[in-house]
Every structure is written in C-alpha cells, then in structure tokens.
Amino acid sequence: MNEQELCKKKLIDLSRQANRKGIVLFSDFLNLNELNIYHQNEKFFETKTEASGGVPFAERQIVAFIPDALYYEWQFPIAYLEIVPSYPKFAEKLGHRDILGSMMNLGVDRSKLGDIVICEDKYFLICEESMAPYFMENLDKIRHTVVKLSPVSADALEQQQKFEEKDGIITSNRLDSMIACVYKFSRSQALEFFKAEKVFVNGKCVQNPSYRCKEANIISVRGYGRFVFEREMGETNKGRMKVRYKLYG
C-alpha cells in the first residue's frame, strides 16, 4: 500500500471509529499532500470534520472527526511553545531547519509537530498537546544556542504572525498570474509548479492554472511560502487588473 492509500485508510478509519464510539477523534498534523488527500476523500467520512493548525493560515493542520450525536465540548489537542535563548548575547540566529532538526533529533515523529514560526528574537512551535511537556523537559539546545521553552496562548502566537500587505498587477484573475506576480516568476515558471503538483489553495492541490482566485483564498506554493488573496481592486489604464494580497512572513 502506497503512502497516499495509507493516509486515506487512516483518515477513513478515524472517522468510522469516531462515529462508532460517539467521541471526537483527531488525526496527527497533516502536511499539504495529506491535507489534499483529506479533502479528496471527505465524501467517504462517516462524521463531520474540521481542520485546524492552531492559528489562522497555519500550513500543517489536525483534522477532527466529529460524530453527529455529540454531547460534550471539545477542542483541538494543540499546544503552543515559545522558544527563547537563555543567553541572548551569545545566541545564534536560528532558522526553521535548525529548530525542526533539533526536534527530530529527540526521536519525535514529524506528524506530532505543527508550524514553526520564526520571529526576530524568539521562536514558536505548535505541537500536539501530549508532546509539550516532553519538549520542555528535553529540548535545551538548538545548534550551539542554549534555549528555554515555555507554554504560551494561541493569542500570544497570533500577535507574532507577520503578514505584509501588498498590491500587484496581473493580466487577469488566474492563479498562475497571481503566483508569478507574488514570487516574481515568469508565467512559464509558474506553470511548472502546477505540473509538479506544488500549488495548493486552502489545502487542496490545484492543477488548473486558470483557477480564479477568490477572497480569503490561502495559496501555498511548496518551497516558497504562502499568501492570502484579499481582493480585486479594479483595472489600470491599460486594462490590467489590480489586486491586493497578504504575504506570510
């Protein structure tokens, strides 16, 4: 059984178990490919579903399988950890790969980890709630930098999320035009990402370059990042379209 079929089977099994037991069950954190499999197979689920990465516009997300006859309040089992250098004067500038590598060196499966948010002088990790105590107890150094971890609220992390609001000009409202505009590609370069199945809208893989962007679409290009399409803003004197979008920092 290949990875796609295995992922599909796990999600359908979770839905069946949640329906049979009458309780909410959760997947691990899903990456973009796995989220696409989830969206493709929603018709096979026996329960309602809801996905969340803990904060708005999170790329990695947990899926909740929610039976119809549910009589209790529930929440996603997601925790938020702030990572700060113990000695800021001697701290290195750490990147996403540095933090993820240190987590993986603890023997943790990637599926237990959500997004990693890089800020100016601190870092944030979203993870499964059950893993937070383990990380706080065992992660004390990233590369050569001694660090300390502490729990924070979702609100504290949301305040650190950076979105740069930008305007652009495209020939028409097509997804390939938007991607070319945002990441400074040629149209032919943008088309290659569609062929390689690296373009996602709200977690779904999109292979149609002429897809029309809609307000609040979250568009991800694997390897380059993600942005939110905000709205069309009219036309230029030459008949081209003005658009506004938020680029995730």
Side-chain angles (χ1 to χ4, degrees):
M1 187 180 295
N2 63 33
E3 287 187 14
Q4 283 198 334
E5 286 298 318
L6 186 59
C7 178
K8 174 182 174 180
K9 182 178 184 299
K10 284 181 178 179
L11 295 175
I12 292 174
D13 283 348
L14 278 170
S15 177
R16 288 172 178 166
Q17 288 182 49
N19 189 44
R20 187 175 69 251
K21 297 177 180 178
I23 60 174
V24 181
L25 293 179
F26 303 93
S27 71
D28 287 329
F29 279 99
L30 305 183
N31 61 29
L32 284 172
N33 278 337
E34 292 163 336
L35 283 169
N36 187 50
I37 294 168
Y38 153 63
H39 287 300
Q40 288 177 338
N41 291 283
E42 287 182 86
K43 60 187 176 186
F44 298 116
F45 299 146
E46 296 181 7
T47 60
K48 295 179 292 185
T49 63
E50 187 177 328
S52 174
V55 292
F57 313 118
E59 188 167 281
R60 296 175 63 81
Q61 299 187 28
I62 285 176
V63 175
F65 296 90
I66 312 157
D68 289 332
L70 190 67
Y71 300 101
Y72 64 91
E73 295 290 324
W74 64 275
Q75 59 184 14
F76 283 94
I78 294 175
Y80 311 86
L81 297 176
E82 181 185 69
I83 305 172
V84 297
S86 297
Y87 308 102
K89 184 178 179 180
F90 304 104
E92 306 163 271
K93 185 64 179 175
L94 303 173
H96 185 282
R97 186 174 296 181
D98 300 319
I99 298 168
L100 179 59
S102 295
M103 300 290 178
M104 304 301 283
N105 287 339
L106 294 175
V108 176
D109 192 281
R110 181 69 175 99
S111 65
K112 303 299 180 184
L113 306 174
D115 284 9
I116 295 169
V117 179
I118 308 294
C119 299
E120 193 65 35
D121 56 354
K122 63 181 71 174
Y123 313 90
F124 293 89
L125 169 69
I126 302 173
C127 65
E128 291 190 11
E129 200 170 45
S130 61
M131 297 303 303
Y134 179 78
F135 288 137
M136 287 190 288
E137 184 176 339
N138 292 282
L139 185 65
D140 54 12
K141 183 182 286 188
I142 301 175
R143 287 181 60 185
H144 305 294
T145 300
V146 178
V147 297
K148 54 186 177 183
L149 281 66
S150 56
V152 293
S153 67
D155 288 343
L157 177 48
E158 283 182 40
Q159 291 170 13
Q160 298 292 330
Q161 286 187 297
K162 293 182 180 178
F163 296 92
E164 188 176 356
E165 194 162 60
K166 292 193 169 189
D167 295 339
I169 296 174
I170 56 179
T171 53
S172 61
N173 187 342
R174 289 171 51 108
L175 186 52
D176 58 348
S177 292
M178 270 307 302
I179 289 172
C181 171
V182 171
Y183 296 111
K184 315 304 180 191
F185 297 145
S186 66
R187 283 281 289 277
S188 59
Q189 285 176 309
L191 288 172
E192 291 302 314
F193 290 100
F194 289 90
K195 292 176 184 176
E197 299 184 4
K198 292 185 176 182
V199 179
F200 298 82
V201 178
N202 298 333
K204 299 179 183 179
C205 182
V206 175
Q207 293 179 273
N208 179 11
S210 62
Y211 174 92
R212 184 180 178 84
C213 299
K214 303 173 184 67
E215 289 187 14
N217 274 171
I218 303 170
I219 299 162
S220 300
V221 181
R222 188 184 299 141
Y224 286 86
R226 58 194 182 276
F227 63 94
V228 181
F229 181 86
E230 288 210 295
R231 62 184 182 275
E232 299 175 7
M233 297 175 61
E235 293 186 351
T236 67
N237 293 334
K238 295 183 178 180
R240 301 180 77 192
M241 181 177 290
K242 293 187 287 186
V243 293
R244 177 159 291 173
Y245 62 94
K246 284 184 178 179
L247 187 62
Y248 186 78

